[in-house]
Every structure is written in structure tokens, then in C-alpha cells.
Amino acid sequence: VRIFAYTRGRTYVVQPEIEIYKLLEKTVFLSAEIKNKLFRWTKQLLLFPWNCVQNPHLLKCFKTLDSMKIFVWPDACEMAKYYISPDSFDVTHVQFSVDAPNLVYLKRAGLLSGVLVVSYRGADAYIHLKKHPDCYNLVFQYADKLLTVSEVIKHLLIEYGASEDKIMVHHSGIRLREFPFSIRQFPQDCHVRLLCIARLVKFKGVDYLLEAVSCLKKRGYNIQLDILGDGPLKIDYADKIEKLGISDI
């Protein structure tokens, strides 16, 4: 197992499995941690000759102009050295699809011979596709399997050109044993507090929540609603709260 990541994050608190399988020791933090693109490219320009000395087979990958894109994209170039070893990976799973083009460059250069799986989780599909409609064309072509967390994202990918045969809906897992079911009863004072955590965008359905809370208020329920999040519809939702007359809850 080899994990490629951009930032270290808060490693002082981790899931038990990370410690059990020593996953941090198997993680490579890419140069994208360096925010300045010029510095990133400079680092890769300096590292590339050294990587070629350590791994002479890397030069054999540059057979065509298209394969030279590995050298242009720092992240792909940095990962390339891990894919030329004899014990390269049988499966490569891209957890966030915006990073998939780097792996496509490796596959087109003949470095990635195993199965390429790409996951689509939300913003990488809804927002990225709408801004750049052709951004995943090569990913759709070269990925062996596309995983989506919902049927909605599945149909969105099909709409933008992905093959339905490659798509599998794989919902985000929840450890149910850590959230045992318990029967909830209304408190004696009938006060119910609701919490919504979401990006304030249309497909999160916050507008439906506001309408539902408005209906409950009209029926006499004692409800408090807290919304944690930000997004382009923040002002619109604030106006809707005023119009529905629920700013006091």
C-alpha cells in the first residue's frame, strides 16, 4: 500500500486503523504542499534528473509528446518513480476525482498498468464539471471504474459523457456500531433543536429544510434550527428565512 497526499493535516488525532496498519509511514506527501506553483515546478525540475539517475527506466516512458506531460505536471512526475518499480500497484484508487488527470498521464505513458479507480464525491462532480465540462473526458476514457456516492452523481457523469458500464454507486460507509439506535422522545417542554451542516448550494436542499421548519412552526412546534455552513446561496437563504418568518428560531 502506498498513499499519496497533499497535506499532512492533523495527524495527532487519527482513526485507529491508521495506527494499526501504520499508514502514515506509507504516505508520500507531494510537493503540492508548496503553494507557490513556480517553487513546485522548480523543485520538480531539480528532482527529475535525480529520479532518472535512481530509476533509469523513467526515461523510457517519454516515447511520445503526450507522455512528456508527466514532466510538465509536477504531481504526476513525482508519483512516476513509484510506478516504474517491478512491484508496482495492482490497483490505484483516486479518492477525489480532480486529482485523476495526474494518474491518466501515467497510464497514457505506460507506467500505470493496474486498474485505475476514480471516486466522485460531490463538489468534484457538481462544481468542477459545470465550470469545466470537458475536464474529465480523458478520465472517463482511461479509468477502469468510476465510483459515485449517489445515483444523482452517477446520472450527472453519464450526462457529461461517462460510460454507464464503468460506473458503480458506492455510498459512503458509516460504522453503525458506533451510532447505536435509540428511540427518541420529544422532551417534556416539546423543545426540539435541529442542526444542519452543509455547503449552502442548491443541491444540498437547505431550502426544503427551511420550508419544513416553517410548516412545523405554523403547527405550533417549539423548534430551534442551527445551520453551519457557507456558500454562494448564503444571502439567498438569509432572505428566505426572513420571508418565511423563522428568523427567531
Side-chain angles (χ1 to χ4, degrees), residues 20-245:
I20 293 172
Y21 297 106
K22 300 180 179 179
L23 295 182
L24 285 177
E25 298 176 13
K26 301 175 182 179
T27 302
V28 176
F29 294 98
L30 302 173
S31 298
E33 209 168 359
I34 303 174
K35 301 298 182 183
N36 189 297
K37 290 185 178 180
L38 178 60
F39 290 163
R40 287 176 59 194
W41 277 325
T42 300
K43 177 184 176 181
Q44 283 309 115
L45 283 171
L46 296 174
L47 284 178
F48 184 74
W50 173 245
N51 288 337
C52 289
V53 171
Q54 288 186 312
N55 307 282
H57 298 294
L58 188 59
L59 290 173
K60 296 180 181 179
C61 299
F62 302 124
K63 299 176 182 178
T64 64
L65 183 62
D66 185 66
S67 63
M68 288 295 291
K69 289 182 179 179
I70 294 178
F71 184 65
V72 176
W73 293 93
D75 301 335
C77 184
E78 195 167 356
M79 287 187 286
K81 62 182 180 180
Y82 294 96
Y83 280 87
I84 60 177
S85 61
D87 57 342
S88 187
F89 312 109
D90 298 312
V91 178
T92 297
H93 181 200
V94 184
Q95 288 279 357
F96 204 56
S97 61
V98 292
D99 300 318
N102 287 316
L103 282 303
V104 169
Y105 297 141
L106 296 180
K107 191 162 188 176
R108 297 180 75 179
L111 282 174
L112 196 159
S113 57
V115 176
L116 177 59
V117 181
V118 180
S119 284
Y120 290 82
R121 301 187 176 280
D124 53 343
Y126 291 106
I127 297 176
H128 213 57
L129 270 174
K130 293 183 184 300
K131 289 184 177 179
H132 313 283
D134 300 325
C135 63
Y136 293 127
N137 285 356
L138 289 177
V139 177
F140 294 159
Q141 180 181 349
Y142 285 93
D144 297 286
K145 185 65 68 177
L146 305 172
L147 301 182
T148 67
V149 296
S150 68
E151 290 286 344
V152 174
I153 297 180
K154 171 185 175 179
H155 293 297
L156 181 66
L157 297 189
I158 294 173
E159 179 185 339
Y160 278 86
S163 171
E164 185 174 2
D165 295 337
K166 289 186 175 183
I167 303 175
M168 177 183 294
V169 178
H170 188 275
H171 301 292
S172 298
I174 298 176
R175 296 178 178 176
L176 295 178
R177 65 179 181 274
E178 296 185 10
F179 301 92
F181 173 75
S182 61
I183 299 177
R184 300 299 182 94
Q185 301 288 343
F186 274 98
Q188 291 183 350
D189 60 1
C190 294
H191 178 264
V192 178
R193 186 177 183 184
L194 305 177
L195 173 63
C196 172
I197 304 176
R199 283 188 300 115
L200 304 183
V201 292
K202 183 67 176 178
F203 62 84
K204 292 295 184 179
V206 176
D207 49 342
Y208 299 123
L209 171 64
L210 298 178
E211 292 171 6
V213 168
S214 175
C215 290
L216 292 173
K217 179 184 178 183
K218 291 176 182 178
R219 294 180 184 181
Y221 287 93
N222 183 11
I223 289 181
Q224 177 183 343
L225 172 63
D226 294 295
I227 300 176
L228 300 181
D230 200 354
L233 295 182
K234 181 177 181 179
I235 295 177
D236 293 343
Y237 288 150
D239 292 340
K240 187 165 187 172
I241 289 172
E242 290 293 333
K243 290 178 181 178
L244 291 173

